[in-house]
Each structure stands twice: as structure tokens, then as C-alpha cells.
Amino acid sequence: MLNKLVLIVLDGLCYDVAKSQMGFLSHLVEKRIGNLYKIKSELPSMSRPLYETILTGVPPYKSKIVNNGTSRLSNHKSIFKLVKENGGISCAAAYHWISELYNKAPFDYLYDCHQEDKSKSIQYGRFYFDDIYPDSHLFIDGEILRKKHNPHFLYIHPMGIDDIGHKFGKNSKEYRSKVIQVDVILSTFIPIWLEEGYEVVISSDHGMNEDGNHCGISDDERIVPFYYFGTSDINLKIDGVINQTQVAPILCRLIGIEKSSDMEVCIY
């Protein structure tokens, strides 16, 4: 029997800003309901290559998804695919690049925003293509999918933090305010998910520098949070920084499925 997991990827979220501004998540950590760890993203610190790393465990040099313009289906088994192979259901409320990586490429803006196809890796999806699509709406999209389909794996991927980071930079009040807004949204949904038996992981693909960019090797661009809330007996007593290629095998262990042959051994 598979466990149920919600994975939230908050695009463009730096570790230090998450730790200093996300009061609700920090409250849960303080009360020992969850834990916060550091992830070091792969390079280049760009979105599409790192979506692939998070969801398949494969680094960009192996996946050949090496920049945001590499628009095609993944050649590796994703968490979505593994859940389906184990008889489970996956749902995603996410940026349209996730559909292009794991369901259908190229993305058709007229027909692919709402997807229901049991033959696909992501059986039920709500995909947006505008970076300013409101985070509040996306979380509701995800919750509607969850309540309707009761998935084993729910992936939610808002773009608001990344969008504001590009416009104003990491050290801006606008960026900090957006991070706080997302924390408030999460305070509505996390208690519901935990009450209904879901494990919850919150992380990011990459961070953001003060110029409003990401692609380089600085800690601002590469060090991102990994929050875990749940009841699993998985050993997540981790010191130091977790390599991003370890995220996928950790997720597999939390769901209760075997990792793919492409993934590293889970060392935690």
C-alpha cells in the first residue's frame, strides 16, 4: 500500500529567506512537527533542468535537459511514472513545463491546461503558462485535484516567488513579502493535508540573487530549503547540505516505492 505525499516546489525560493520569513513553517519546525534541511541544487541553477533533477534524480549532464529551452519529454522515469507503475494516482497543479517533461510536448495552450488521461504519467493535471498566475489560485487548483482524485502523489508548483524575484531581486521587500504570502497560503492547507494522512515536502528548484537572476554557482542561487512534515519513520536526521539528486530517492522512500535504476542510492 502506497503512502500519500504532497510535494510543493516553490520556484525561486532561497533558503535563508525561507528560514527568516516563513513564520508558519518555522512554527511547525519549532514545535517538532517537521524539520528544515538545506538542499544544494544542481547546475545550471535554472528551472527546467532542476525540475527534471527533483523528479527523476538525474543531474542535467545525464538528463540532457540543460537549459530552459530544452523542450521535450524526459527520457527518465519520474516520480509520477513510478507511482503509476505501482498502481497509484498522481496529480499536478504546475507550470506547463512539467506537462512537457512528463505528459506531452510541445504544450498546446488551447487544449493542455486541463488534462485527465489515465494513460499518462500525470493522470490528472492543471497546468498554467503565465508566470503571474496567482499562487492562491494554483493551491486551490491542487486542492480540488486532491479532493476529487485522492492521489498518492500530489505535485504543486507555484511561480509567484520566482516572478517577483526576477522583477525586484532577492534582497527586496517585494521578494520577502511574496515569501510571507506563500507561507500564509501554506498555513491554510498543510494542517488539512496532515490531518488527512499526507506526508508533506516543501522545497525549491533554485534560489535567486540580488540582481534578480539565477543560473550561477552562488549560495543565493543554489541553496534552497527542504521542509518535511509527516509521520514517516524514514531517517531524516541530516546534518549538512543534501545534494538535490537525493530528493527523488527520498520521495520514493516516503511514498513507499522502489527508486528507479537512474536514481542514486538514498543515503538518508
Side-chain angles (χ1 to χ4, degrees):
M1 182 176 178
L2 303 185
N3 301 319
K4 296 188 294 185
L5 173 70
V6 178
L7 171 63
I8 302 159
V9 174
L10 301 176
D11 208 289
L13 177 61
C14 301
Y15 174 88
D16 57 344
V17 180
K19 186 175 181 180
S20 67
Q21 302 300 316
M22 303 192 91
F24 176 71
L25 297 190
S26 293
H27 170 66
L28 296 181
V29 172
E30 280 189 359
K31 298 306 178 183
R32 299 184 179 180
I33 297 170
N35 291 289
L36 169 61
Y37 309 100
K38 288 182 178 180
I39 295 284
K40 187 173 187 178
S41 76
E42 286 291 319
L43 292 172
S45 51
M46 301 178 73
S47 292
R48 199 188 297 249
L50 301 185
Y51 302 161
E52 173 78 342
T53 294
I54 290 168
L55 289 163
T56 68
V58 179
Y61 84 94
K62 286 186 177 179
S63 72
K64 304 297 191 292
I65 306 290
V66 293
N67 58 57
N68 286 342
T70 311
S71 177
R72 60 166 172 79
L73 287 169
S74 169
N75 292 325
H76 299 275
K77 282 191 177 181
S78 67
I79 302 293
F80 302 115
K81 180 69 170 178
L82 292 170
V83 168
K84 183 175 183 292
E85 288 182 346
N86 283 272
I89 295 171
S90 292
C91 295
Y95 197 59
H96 69 288
W97 289 353
I98 296 298
S99 173
E100 286 188 324
L101 280 167
Y102 306 113
N103 266 14
K104 180 175 177 285
F107 185 84
D108 188 317
Y109 297 88
L110 292 178
Y111 301 106
D112 292 343
C113 289
H114 288 196
Q115 297 182 33
E116 296 190 4
D117 187 341
K118 293 181 180 180
S119 72
K120 300 294 187 184
S121 293
I122 307 170
Q123 292 103 318
Y124 305 101
R126 299 293 181 266
F127 300 103
Y128 66 100
F129 53 85
D130 194 327
D131 289 11
I132 62 171
Y133 187 73
D135 295 344
S136 57
H137 291 42
L138 185 74
F139 276 94
I140 292 171
D141 291 342
E143 182 64 0
I144 290 171
L145 287 170
R146 189 191 69 82
K147 291 179 73 66
K148 182 176 181 181
H149 301 291
N150 191 29
H152 300 90
F153 180 48
L154 171 62
Y155 177 88
I156 299 177
H157 171 218
M159 192 65 72
I161 293 171
D162 183 76
D163 181 60
I164 291 297
H166 282 301
K167 291 173 179 174
F168 298 100
K170 174 211 171 183
N171 296 328
S172 66
K173 66 179 182 181
E174 291 86 356
Y175 184 80
R176 293 190 296 272
S177 294
K178 177 55 72 172
V179 173
I180 292 169
Q181 289 174 16
V182 173
D183 182 67
V184 171
I185 294 171
L186 289 168
S187 73
T188 299
F189 292 104
I190 289 177
I192 297 171
W193 297 333
L194 294 177
E195 181 68 23
E196 298 202 14
Y198 279 83
E199 309 286 311
V200 179
V201 169
I202 301 167
S203 192
S204 184
D205 49 349
H206 54 73
M208 186 71 60
N209 66 25
E210 61 184 73
D211 296 329
N213 292 316
H214 55 82
C215 186
I217 65 173
S218 71
D219 283 353
D220 283 348
E221 295 162 274
R222 295 191 73 183
I223 304 299
V224 300
F226 183 98
Y227 290 92
Y228 167 68
F229 306 103
T231 59
S232 173
D233 60 0
I234 184 173
N235 179 18
L236 287 179
K237 294 180 180 178
I238 301 165
D239 295 319
V241 181
I242 307 169
N243 191 287
Q244 199 169 44
T245 54
Q246 281 286 304
V247 171
I250 289 173
L251 298 177
C252 287
R253 288 187 63 180
L254 290 172
I255 297 170
I257 56 178
E258 291 293 324
K259 70 178 186 65
S260 77
S261 60
D262 292 326
M263 294 179 189
E264 296 178 356
V265 174
C266 182
I267 62 176
Y268 302 108

